[in-house]
């Protein structure tokens, strides 16, 4: 099975290094020297990692055969894909591969059916579950511990405790301005 583990960013310097947008929780395992990665677009690869280092909090890689800025810039926006055994699990029991989460049933803590995970969107700040509801509409659920309280792979379900308004229209009014207007309206009717 293939997993996207990174995306090549801009060239760094003049010796062929590139910045990497890491898309794996195990970069030292997937993006270490000697790793051979497939690419998307496929014509760009496969690429063999020659060296890597962290500079100003950003991973920099150099690939075999890429010796200058022009070669590095030609790789920009290429996805890096690792071949992974489908039975392999992340080291941390609270981490999951996308393929493990796809098609899980999403239910609230009281058992109310919300829908089924059809996509996982990886954003810079957090991951989102794209959940298809039984009526065909979609809802986005942040994959954060406060909302997704349990992932049960044996039961094939994700349990959530959504805040008001996330999956329904019953949002709580938290604005002080709205509270003041409600108070004034009550005063005027009295």
């Amino acid at each position: 099975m293939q997993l996207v583990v990174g995306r090549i960013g801009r060239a760094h310097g003049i010796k062929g290094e590139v910045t990497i947008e890491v898309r794996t929780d195990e970069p030292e395992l997937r993006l270490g020297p000697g790793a051979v990665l497939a690419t998307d677009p496929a014509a760009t690869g496969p690429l063999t990692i020659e060296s890597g280092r962290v500079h100003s909090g950003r991973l920099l890689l150099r690939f075999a055969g890429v010796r200058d800025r022009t070669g590095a810039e030609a790789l920009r926006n290429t996805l890096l894909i690792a071949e992974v055994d489908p039975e392999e699990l992340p080291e941390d029991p609270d981490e999951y591969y996308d393929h493990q989460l796809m098609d899980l049933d999403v239910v609230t803590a009281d058992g109310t059916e919300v829908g089924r995970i059809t996509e996982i969107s990886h954003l810079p700040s957090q991951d989102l579950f794209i959940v298809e509801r039984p009526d065909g509409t979609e809802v986005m659920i942040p994959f954060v511990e406060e909302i997704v309280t349990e992932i049960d792979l044996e039961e094939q379900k994700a349990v959530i405790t959504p805040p008001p308004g996330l999956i329904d229209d019953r949002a709580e009014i938290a604005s002080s301005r709205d509270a003041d207007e409600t108070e004034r309206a009550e005063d005027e009717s009295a």
Side-chain angles (χ1 to χ4, degrees):
M1 173 186 59
Q2 295 186 325
L3 293 178
V4 174
V5 294
R7 184 181 66 80
I8 298 175
R10 63 182 184 194
H12 179 82
I14 60 171
K15 296 184 179 180
E17 285 184 312
V18 292
T19 61
I20 300 295
E21 176 188 310
V22 177
R23 294 190 181 174
T24 177
D25 290 331
E26 302 167 318
E28 60 285 340
L29 175 66
R30 308 275 181 231
L31 299 170
V36 179
L37 302 169
T39 60
D40 181 10
T44 309
L47 295 173
T48 301
I49 298 174
E50 193 171 271
S51 64
R53 65 187 177 103
V54 176
H55 175 70
S56 298
R58 190 139 188 100
L59 179 62
L60 302 177
L61 294 180
R62 180 177 294 129
F63 297 101
V66 179
R67 297 281 171 235
D68 59 20
R69 187 175 186 86
T70 304
E73 211 37 70
L75 298 174
R76 193 173 193 159
N77 292 323
T78 298
L79 294 177
L80 301 173
I81 302 167
E83 190 65 39
V84 177
D85 180 350
E87 300 300 315
E88 182 181 328
L89 299 175
E91 291 176 13
D92 186 336
D94 291 329
E95 292 177 1
Y96 303 93
Y97 292 133
D98 287 3
H99 74 274
Q100 294 175 290
L101 301 171
M102 292 298 291
D103 293 324
L104 289 184
D105 293 322
V106 178
V107 297
T108 60
D110 67 6
T112 304
E113 179 185 1
V114 176
R116 183 178 54 84
I117 299 173
T118 57
E119 184 181 341
I120 299 163
S121 181
H122 299 282
L123 303 175
S125 59
Q126 67 192 15
D127 295 335
L128 287 176
F129 289 159
I130 310 300
V131 177
E132 184 177 317
R133 301 175 101 172
D135 65 6
T137 61
E138 288 184 338
V139 63
M140 292 183 266
I141 298 175
F143 187 22
V144 294
E145 193 174 346
E146 296 79 23
I147 295 174
V148 180
T149 57
E150 178 186 356
I151 298 288
D152 187 335
L153 295 177
E154 286 185 22
E155 295 289 322
Q156 286 290 291
K157 71 178 179 179
V159 179
I160 64 169
T161 55
L166 183 65
I167 60 172
D168 57 31
D169 296 331
R170 298 186 311 266
E172 293 177 359
I173 298 173
S175 168
S176 61
R177 187 184 78 215
D178 292 339
D180 291 343
E181 287 175 9
T182 303
E183 196 173 288
R184 262 184 280 166
E186 289 172 359
D187 290 342
E188 289 173 5
S189 66

